[in-house]
Amino acid sequence: MIRVKRIYEAARKEDGYRVLVDRLWPRGVSKQQAHVQLWLKDIAPSDALRKWFAHDPKKWAEFQRRYGKELAGKKNLLEQVERLEREHLAVTLLYSAKDEEHNQAVALARFLKGAPRS
């Protein structure tokens, strides 16, 4: 099971394996507070795409398309997340954006759910 959660929310047992998918470490959160087991910053959108998107909901559909193209070239990282899901049953993708509907963790979770499993 892939879940998505804002890193500023308290860690819970049902989160399972916690993976931060932001390229930059979230402000105001210590590594101890975050309870992150893996920081997978290379799976995050490129800096250019992140800056272009700027969390503008009007760009959401195009962001998902462009990010999907980037993700298609990161097969080993996608497989790593899928392997973690098989091993731990639950993986929570953590993000820091204020917008809970339009962020890379939501887009990544959707991509993973639609990606063929190996």
Side-chain angles (χ1 to χ4, degrees):
M1 174 180 289
I2 298 285
R3 297 177 180 169
V4 175
K5 186 174 188 177
R6 197 159 184 250
I7 196 164
Y8 300 103
E9 296 177 42
R12 302 187 67 159
K13 184 179 178 182
E14 53 269 11
D15 289 347
Y17 199 87
R18 293 169 52 91
V19 180
L20 176 62
V21 295
D22 283 359
R23 186 166 297 279
L24 305 173
W25 188 265
R27 293 180 189 200
V29 177
S30 72
K31 293 187 180 184
Q32 185 178 358
Q33 290 172 312
H35 301 283
V36 170
Q37 280 123 334
L38 177 65
W39 182 13
L40 204 57
K41 59 184 167 184
D42 291 335
I43 206 167
S46 65
D47 284 335
L49 181 56
R50 181 178 56 82
K51 289 175 184 176
W52 170 84
F53 176 48
H55 297 283
D56 181 350
K58 294 177 201 154
K59 296 179 179 178
W60 178 239
E62 181 62 16
F63 170 77
Q64 289 182 96
R65 188 188 70 73
R66 291 183 187 189
Y67 185 36
K69 285 179 87 171
E70 288 185 3
L71 288 170
K74 299 178 180 184
K75 187 176 179 180
N76 59 332
L77 297 174
L78 296 169
E79 289 172 351
Q80 184 176 359
V81 175
E82 291 173 341
R83 186 173 51 254
L84 289 169
E85 182 184 13
R86 285 190 303 272
E87 291 172 6
H88 299 277
L89 303 178
V91 171
T92 298
L93 304 176
L94 301 167
Y95 67 94
S96 62
K98 291 179 184 176
D99 187 333
E100 296 181 6
E101 296 177 37
H102 308 101
N103 63 68
Q104 76 277 1
V106 170
L108 174 57
R110 288 181 180 172
F111 186 90
L112 287 164
K113 289 175 184 172
R117 303 286 184 186
S118 41

